[in-house]
Amino acid sequence: MEDSILAQWNNALGRAIVALGTPDFGPRLTQAIRGLVAFDNIMLFVYRGEERPLAAYTDVASSDEALIIMGGYITGPYLLDPYFTEVLSGRVTGLARLSDIAPDRFFETEYFKRHYIRTGIIDEVGFFMGLPDGVTAVLSITKRGNAQRFTPEDLALLNDIAPAVSALGAHNWMP
């Protein structure tokens, strides 16, 4: 008998919990989320006010790609990122799809031209995590290239798991 999706999630989440505080936590949390929703990459940025963010975690395997996606982001495009804007406005919890928080005409913005076109990201969903001392982290999962965008069913599942993902991530990635 095949395990239910809830059983699969609980087993994968249990492995992530066991890995809290170790280098295995990020990959295990990634695996747990990927067991529910297909995505291409995951990345974590940590924001302390208006300072340049810290690129804290990604599963991008190629160092060249990671340099474009992570390194390129923290050199300046983050200033135009709707997730960064949400953080500056005080958001510390919840889940947000980029298209829901992006300004009108997002695809004409400098941020889109300077960062998104280079990364190949076509859809993004971020989990907000309030950390101590006014620090906020955003764990983003992305679809790239010719992938399908996140479906309403994907978004419903991600919204359901957001409290657990955010709580565990905040505990693991505390500054």
Side-chain angles (χ1 to χ4, degrees), residues 43 45 47 53 55 60 64-83 98 106-122 124 140 142 144:
M43 58 196 131
F45 292 100
Y47 303 94
V60 174
D64 289 342
E65 274 189 291
L67 186 60
I68 291 170
I69 294 171
M70 303 289 283
Y73 176 81
I74 64 171
T75 62
Y78 75 91
L79 292 165
L80 304 171
D81 183 2
Y83 287 105
L98 180 66
F106 174 70
F107 296 105
E108 297 172 23
T109 65
E110 191 65 24
Y111 175 66
F112 180 80
K113 292 173 188 170
R114 289 185 58 199
H115 184 66
Y116 255 67
I117 288 176
R118 293 185 68 211
T119 65
I121 295 171
I122 61 156
E124 182 174 0
S140 290
T142 66
R144 296 174 62 201

Side-chain angles (χ1 to χ4, degrees), residues 4 32 36 128 130 149 151:
S4 70
L36 293 177
F128 288 81
R149 296 182 182 277
T151 67

Side-chain angles (χ1 to χ4, degrees), residues 14-64:
R15 289 189 291 277
I17 290 168
V18 168
L20 276 165
T22 74
D24 289 336
F25 175 76
R28 289 193 178 169
L29 182 62
T30 300
Q31 182 182 31
I33 299 168
R34 200 172 259 133
L36 293 177
V37 174
F39 60 90
D40 293 310
N41 293 113
I42 192 167
M43 58 196 131
L44 177 78
F45 292 100
V46 179
Y47 303 94
R48 182 183 307 272
E50 294 185 21
E51 295 176 18
R52 175 186 276 186
L54 170 68
Y57 171 73
T58 187
D59 71 341
V60 174
S62 159
S63 59
D64 289 342

Side-chain angles (χ1 to χ4, degrees), residues 84-107:
F84 181 62
T85 301
E86 289 285 304
V87 168
L88 288 180
S89 71
R91 184 168 189 169
V92 295
T93 61
L95 181 81
R97 187 179 200 176
L98 180 66
S99 59
D100 292 336
I101 61 173
D104 292 339
R105 302 170 69 159
F106 174 70
F107 296 105

Side-chain angles (χ1 to χ4, degrees), residues 44-47 87 92 127-131 135-139 169 173:
L44 177 78
F45 292 100
V46 179
Y47 303 94
V87 168
V92 295
F127 299 89
F128 288 81
M129 303 172 199
L131 306 175
V135 175
T136 302
V138 178
L139 182 69
W173 287 303

